[in-house]
Amino acid sequence: MSIIRPSFRVKDYLGVPFLPHGRSRSGADCWGLVYILYQEVYSIGIRSYAGEVGDIHCPLQSGPVFDRHRRGGAWVRTARPVRGDLILWRAGKIPFHVAIFLSEKEMLHTIRGAEVQVMDYPSAAWPRHRIEGFYCHKSLVGI
């Protein structure tokens, strides 16, 4: 018997307002969206990081936190992402932004000044060369 990864309805997350350090449907930043979705859909509690970064819009402050989390063993790099995996974006060489992979052309994410939304990529704003990698949570590998 194979296990099927739980699915989620994208529309359930659309419109959540952007809020730095937010970790609820009242407001979330990019990691907050991951935090909410992974808890609700996969019942996976991931580290919040709320308040660990002063200015989440500064790659020099947020980048090391993303990098530590990426290297911490909870996330496994994958060459074949599936819906719900993470896309880690970089600013220069610094991991800086995370989004939820929906398809080879779409991601679910939020940024300053915007609610949670579906965005096409690659695009002028999100070029493929800025993708650091795709990641699957270790609890979902093979599902």
Side-chain angles (χ1 to χ4, degrees):
M1 172 189 273
S2 64
I3 300 172
I4 298 173
R5 182 187 286 199
S7 188
F8 58 93
R9 294 184 331 184
V10 170
K11 71 179 187 174
D12 290 346
Y13 297 90
L14 297 177
V16 172
F18 179 83
L19 178 66
H21 308 289
R23 299 294 181 265
S24 74
R25 288 179 171 272
S26 299
D29 56 23
C30 64
W31 188 255
L33 174 61
V34 172
Y35 181 85
I36 296 164
L37 189 138
Y38 271 68
Q39 195 146 22
E40 291 179 0
V41 176
Y42 305 124
S43 299
I44 296 173
I46 58 175
R47 190 165 173 176
S48 164
Y49 291 110
E52 289 188 42
V53 177
D55 181 359
I56 64 167
H57 301 108
C58 175
L60 295 176
Q61 289 186 30
S62 61
V65 173
F66 276 124
D67 199 42
R68 277 195 311 274
H69 197 69
R70 175 181 60 115
R71 295 173 190 264
W75 300 93
V76 178
R77 191 178 187 109
T78 180
R80 295 187 176 190
V82 297
R83 192 168 191 259
D85 285 345
L86 304 187
I87 308 171
L88 183 58
W89 295 90
R90 64 177 181 246
K93 295 182 178 183
I94 301 170
F96 179 61
H97 179 68
V98 67
I100 306 289
F101 178 88
L102 296 177
S103 72
E104 289 294 328
K105 296 181 180 183
E106 292 183 321
M107 63 181 179
L108 183 68
H109 81 134
T110 187
I111 55 173
R112 176 174 37 192
E115 300 173 333
V116 172
Q117 60 188 289
V118 173
M119 172 127 341
D120 292 340
Y121 82 94
S123 65
W126 301 100
R128 187 165 296 282
H129 72 271
R130 285 189 53 211
I131 296 174
E132 189 283 331
F134 299 95
Y135 291 85
C136 177
H137 192 274
K138 66 181 179 183
S139 301
L140 298 174
V141 172
I143 296 178

